[in-house]
Amino acid sequence: MISVDAHRETVTGLLGNAPVIRLPLASAAGLVLAEDVLAGVSLPPFDNSAMDGYAVRAEDVAEAPVTLPVADDIPAGRVDIGRLEPGTAHRIMTGAPLPPGADAVVMVEHTDAGVTDVRIFRTAVPGAHIRRLGEDVVEGTVALSAGTVLGPAHLGLAAAVGLAEVPVRRPLKVLVVSTGTELVDAPNPLRHGQIYESNSIMLASAIRALGCEAEVVRSVVDDVDEFRAAIEPRLADVDLLVTSGGVSAGAYEVVKDALTGQGVEFRKVAMQPGGPQGCGRWNGVPVVTLPGNPVSVLVSFEAFLRPALLAAMGHSGVDRQKVRARLTESMTSPAGRRQFRRGFYTHSEGEVTGVVGPRGGPGSHLLASFTQANCLIVLPEDVDSAAKGDEVDVLLL
Ligand code: AMP
Ligand code: MG
């Protein structure tokens, strides 16, 4: 048996780094910036008004209330801006360029809102309600650094400094394949001995949630020639093949039978669930083979694929948040294996640790209990039992 950490490292190494491409901002949400990007303009790009009101010279309103002639009108977007002469006011809107000669803005609420003459009721300090050129971002400086995960604020800033595209790590294309002669696609009726196929949607949605692309082949029967014929031609278009099922110790293990000796190695990982794993390259394309039980599939995704895909896409934080929590009931774990159990974690107000209880038994077919879980409880290899009240590691999902 090999360790969970060793297998995770192998899978991560297999994927390497996704290539860098330039994508329009609208396609870059959730992806990782691959290079620093510089601001093409300062923000704000010019001194402008922070308020709807009147641009003035502070000294002209020092004796307020005063009345000044309104010599010009400056809506946002106006580009031909004249000079403010002493003893006059320009009506100005939020975001409009400050006229040269003005050093303050009086908000409209402190005036009578006049159009030809304006009565100004309050004094203004120099600089009042003026947004200065470059006070947010200075042209030519780094606006966003390499490694940033692009969220709404980052994309907004990229747009604001004039970028149409950003260099990002390309979303990896993953081919997800479910194997098993017993598998049926809904809404076809089930015959006794058949089950509905459920792994591919779990894997595809988990993969897509990381910003990768997933293509799915559902229900390849347990026949080596059919498996090869269905999958081999599709490898050229993808960065990774992920299979489920057909890798255990029984007979009819289609994935194992088809890929042994083709560059894929099958091994037992010291974990529960999800022991039988495989990885390698088939026709040069990275392959990760997962066992078939649905809970094993999701746990394997968490343990191996999620960190590997995130790392390949340029993320530096690839681990789930880990917290300590006190068990609400006792648990056992097979000696020598790392056990991942579905659990429900509750943070205890005002305390360092929360509490956690398992959801469902260790059986890797018990998928329903996963829907009630918000974490995985991790019992390490050297632990075979934990009592109620013991502190354990919890990975928050
Ligand atoms: P295997 O690893 O192929 O021996 O499958 C282990 C168990 O998982 C069997 O009970 C399978 O019927 C079940 N299983 C395998 N693949 C799927 C799938 N795609 N959807 C639902 N159950 C599956
Ligand atoms: Mg099978």
Side-chain angles (χ1 to χ4, degrees):
M1 279 203 291
I2 70 155
S3 72
V4 173
D5 298 333
H7 189 61
R8 169 173 154 161
E9 221 165 275
T10 308
V11 172
T12 299
L14 194 61
L15 289 188
N17 291 324
V20 176
I21 52 165
R22 308 188 76 80
L23 283 182
L25 299 188
S27 306
L31 300 180
V32 178
L33 197 64
E35 298 156 13
D36 289 351
V37 297
L38 304 183
V41 295
S42 290
L43 293 181
F46 48 85
D47 288 352
N48 67 91
S49 178
M51 289 286 172
D52 296 330
Y54 293 83
V56 296
R57 296 192 323 155
E59 63 191 83
D60 289 341
V61 298
E63 307 289 305
V66 295
T67 300
L68 297 175
V70 179
D72 206 347
D73 196 26
I74 317 173
R78 190 163 160 194
V79 293
D80 59 325
I81 302 300
R83 196 174 175 82
L84 179 104
E85 297 305 332
T88 70
H90 289 182
R91 193 166 74 141
I92 191 167
M93 301 303 145
T94 304
L98 191 75
D103 65 359
V105 169
V106 179
M107 57 202 277
V108 67
E109 290 84 348
H110 295 163
T111 73
D112 68 354
V115 214
T116 47
D117 293 297
V118 63
R119 185 84 177 144
I120 292 176
F121 302 124
R122 303 230 185 145
T123 60
V125 292
H129 304 309
I130 294 171
R131 307 195 288 210
R132 292 293 179 195
L133 179 149
E135 73 179 9
D136 194 10
V137 175
V138 175
E139 180 181 344
T141 61
V142 174
L144 295 166
S145 335
T148 300
V149 182
L150 295 170
H154 310 104
L155 293 168
L157 184 65
V161 298
L163 293 167
E165 294 181 339
V166 275
V168 290
R169 293 261 167 215
R170 172 168 74 66
L172 291 178
K173 281 190 204 150
V174 184
L175 179 60
V176 174
V177 176
S178 293
T179 68
T181 304
E182 73 278 26
L183 304 176
V184 171
D185 294 351
N188 294 312
L190 287 184
R191 297 173 61 195
H192 186 72
Q194 299 179 320
I195 59 170
Y196 286 122
E197 196 281 308
S198 60
N199 287 344
S200 67
I201 185 65
M202 287 201 298
L203 280 170
S205 59
I207 287 165
R208 289 181 188 129
L210 304 181
C212 301
E213 293 169 11
E215 273 176 51
V216 167
V217 175
R218 294 180 78 178
S219 317
V220 178
V221 296
D222 293 323
D223 177 279
V224 166
D225 293 333
E226 282 201 40
F227 175 84
R228 287 201 182 125
I231 306 310
E232 204 165 7
R234 307 187 62 147
L235 290 176
D237 302 329
V238 298
D239 300 300
L240 170 67
L241 167 65
V242 176
T243 63
S244 71
V247 294
S248 315
Y252 311 105
E253 304 291 8
V254 64
V255 174
K256 204 181 206 175
D257 295 345
L259 300 184
T260 297
Q262 304 285 316
V264 180
E265 242 191 81
F266 294 89
R267 34 175 65 164
K268 212 156 170 74
V269 176
M271 68 191 283
Q272 194 218 29
Q277 301 282 341
C279 70
R281 287 177 189 275
W282 185 20
N283 295 341
V285 176
V287 178
V288 174
T289 69
L290 309 179
N293 275 302
V295 174
S296 307
V297 165
L298 269 191
V299 167
S300 305
F301 178 83
E302 285 294 323
F304 310 121
L305 281 174
R306 185 178 182 278
L309 288 168
L310 285 175
M313 302 267 292
H315 290 262
S316 49
V318 302
D319 291 314
R320 293 286 195 183
Q321 189 190 346
K322 193 198 266 187
V323 296
R324 299 282 286 171
R326 274 173 288 106
L327 278 175
T328 57
E329 57 188 90
S330 65
M331 285 173 57
T332 59
S333 174
R337 294 180 183 226
R338 190 179 303 179
Q339 192 185 41
F340 296 92
R341 282 280 289 277
R342 298 151 331 275
F344 193 85
Y345 169 81
T346 317
H347 179 71
S348 317
E349 201 60 51
E351 288 185 41
V352 180
T353 58
V355 294
V356 70
R359 289 289 179 276
S364 56
H365 59 297
L366 302 170
L367 182 58
S369 46
F370 221 132
T371 67
Q372 268 122 49
N374 64 3
C375 68
L376 289 173
I377 303 168
V378 185
L379 296 186
E381 291 79 348
D382 59 356
V383 165
D384 58 12
S385 69
K388 179 177 170 175
D390 282 357
E391 265 191 28
V392 290
D393 281 337
V394 166
L395 301 175
L396 302 181
L397 297 179

